[in-house]
Amino acid sequence: MSEVRKGPDEADESQCDSGIESLRSLRSLPEPTPAPASRPSDGGGPQTWTHPPGTAKEPQEKEDADGERADSTYGSSSLTEPLVLLGGLEAEDPAPRSPLPPMGALSPQQLEALTYISEDGDTLVHLAVIHEAPAVLLCCLALLPQEVLDIQNNLYQTALHLAVHLDQPGAVRALVMKGASRVLQDRHGDTALHVACQRQHLACARCLLEGQPEPGRGPSHSLDLQLQNWQGLTCLHIATLQRNQPLMELLLQNGADIDTQEGTSGKTALHLAVETQEQGLVQFLIQSGARVDARMLNGCTPLHLAAGRGLMGISSTLCQAGADSLLRNVEDETPQDLAEEVRGIYSALFSKASHTHSRDRCCH
């Protein structure tokens, strides 16, 4: 099989596994040939999979608000209608334990369809998620080898990434139960859980954190909640920047380190909460055990950031929690120095404004 073509803006191979190795035993899908209308059925068994006439679609891509591809180049009708023949299932939410035909009951063409790879690197599992076809997804999960679930497309997204991206907790739960990896990273270095935090999909995050593969589907992929994406952010950092306290609580309950530093400047979640100027988040993190005097790479504590921004309420909250106002950063500045500097700037601006106002009154 020829290698999957890479996009020009993808991460290099050293950043994440492309999943190409798992394709070596799979065959590409040949050009479909319509089955004769008069062909008899073999004893009532599954029908041969064929493209129905007139369902060919022009290449078509959809993008969501942040520019990530969320569709393939194939119309959904050419995917879901014929593949319902594999099981005839109609489910709102994939149920991995539903009865399915045994592997031997499938025709060669149906097996070829299940191992199809699109020009975008999408497997049928990706496409079932993209087109919100739970019956097709259910068939794939029951019939395909576990390693196929972890194949990454040309954007290094697994089907699990896409299920989270499109807020499909039922599909996320089904994929996790069937052993899909939760640690693979896409071209941005994001795991499926990073994506859940960025898009604030709490139900999907819960499925990823609490779900476990069923017996016989391989070892559990332990989640590293301290894993950083290419921007140096853990899931807790992202949830904090999104000001999403329920997500933060969920991550901390499942073992996220509250004092982990992000990879660019060494900020902890408490530093980031100060930068959001959300006093409630600051109080929540302090109550959850965050170190109030945690230092960035430049020596700044959360109190340095609050004082330097003139955030008097947050500065007071930090001081009440025991923050040291005399700690010095690499510039030899204390939070107290920064607060006085800010007050001096405000005082100068206020004095200048008062002087201008008095002059205007004299002129009139």
Side-chain angles (χ1 to χ4, degrees):
M1 169 179 283
S2 61
E3 292 186 1
V4 177
R5 180 166 50 82
K6 297 181 180 178
D9 58 345
E10 293 179 41
D12 61 34
E13 291 183 358
S14 65
Q15 290 178 320
C16 52
D17 177 19
S18 67
I20 301 300
E21 288 300 319
S22 59
L23 301 183
R24 294 187 182 278
S25 62
L26 302 179
R27 296 172 294 173
S28 61
L29 182 66
E31 289 296 321
T33 54
S38 60
R39 183 173 179 174
S41 173
D42 296 330
Q47 302 178 37
T48 302
W49 185 91
T50 58
H51 282 294
T55 58
K57 302 288 182 182
E58 290 297 320
Q60 194 173 42
E61 277 198 10
K62 297 178 183 177
E63 291 188 358
D64 67 2
D66 58 9
E68 287 291 328
R69 182 171 56 79
D71 204 347
S72 72
T73 57
Y74 291 83
S76 57
S77 63
S78 64
L79 293 169
T80 57
E81 292 174 7
L83 286 174
V84 170
L85 299 176
L86 293 176
L89 300 171
E90 296 179 1
E92 291 294 327
D93 194 18
R97 301 181 189 279
S98 298
L100 286 165
M103 181 71 79
L106 299 176
S107 71
Q109 266 192 309
Q110 289 171 335
L111 290 175
E112 292 283 4
L114 286 171
T115 57
Y116 170 69
I117 306 292
S118 79
E119 64 180 8
D120 295 315
D122 291 321
T123 66
L124 195 61
V125 185
H126 289 91
L127 298 176
V129 172
I130 290 169
H131 293 280
E132 301 184 35
V136 180
L137 178 62
L138 176 56
C139 290
C140 293
L141 295 181
L143 300 173
L144 288 173
Q146 182 176 336
E147 58 268 20
V148 176
L149 306 185
D150 294 336
I151 293 174
Q152 291 168 281
N153 64 19
N154 292 358
L155 299 181
Y156 294 96
Q157 297 164 319
T158 64
L160 190 58
H161 282 98
L162 293 177
V164 173
H165 185 85
L166 297 171
D167 196 16
Q168 298 178 17
V172 173
R173 189 183 312 113
L175 285 161
V176 170
M177 287 183 66
K178 291 301 180 181
S181 174
R182 290 169 284 176
V183 298
L184 289 174
Q185 294 168 275
D186 66 15
R187 62 174 180 158
H188 302 298
D190 292 323
T191 65
L193 188 58
H194 282 86
V195 175
C197 293
Q198 288 166 352
R199 303 188 70 81
Q200 304 187 67
H201 293 162
L202 182 61
C204 289
R206 196 178 301 281
C207 292
L208 290 167
L209 287 165
E210 299 174 357
Q212 291 296 329
E214 60 188 23
R217 296 300 293 193
S220 172
H221 300 279
S222 59
L223 276 169
D224 179 7
L225 294 182
Q226 277 59 259
L227 183 66
Q228 299 178 353
N229 63 14
W230 305 153
Q231 293 180 304
L233 299 174
T234 67
C235 293
L236 181 60
H237 295 142
I238 294 171
T240 303
L241 289 171
Q242 296 286 7
R243 301 174 172 85
N244 193 316
Q245 187 172 322
L247 261 176
M248 296 165 66
E249 290 177 357
L250 179 65
L251 292 165
L252 292 172
Q253 289 167 3
N254 283 274
D257 185 346
I258 198 169
D259 293 318
T260 294
Q261 294 176 291
E262 51 88 19
T264 58
S265 59
K267 294 172 185 172
T268 65
L270 187 56
H271 287 93
L272 297 174
V274 170
E275 291 188 333
T276 68
Q277 303 186 24
E278 292 280 346
Q279 189 164 349
L281 288 186
V282 173
Q283 291 173 329
F284 165 73
L285 287 169
I286 291 173
Q287 292 168 358
S288 299
R291 284 195 300 124
V292 291
D293 286 331
R295 291 176 178 266
M296 295 167 53
L297 300 181
N298 64 4
C300 285
T301 65
L303 187 56
H304 279 93
L305 300 185
R309 287 165 171 76
L311 305 175
M312 295 299 106
I314 290 178
S315 296
S316 176
T317 297
L318 290 166
C319 288
Q320 290 173 9
D324 190 342
S325 63
L326 298 178
L327 289 178
R328 297 184 178 276
N329 60 19
V330 296
E331 300 292 334
D332 202 34
E333 297 168 321
T334 67
Q336 209 168 67
D337 295 333
L338 294 174
E340 290 171 358
E341 182 180 334
V342 169
R343 278 197 295 270
I345 293 172
Y346 287 162
S347 297
L349 289 173
F350 181 76
S351 298
K352 183 178 179 181
S354 298
H355 176 70
T356 302
H357 181 64
S358 299
R359 187 184 60 188
D360 291 343
R361 287 178 58 188
C362 292
C363 292
H364 290 289

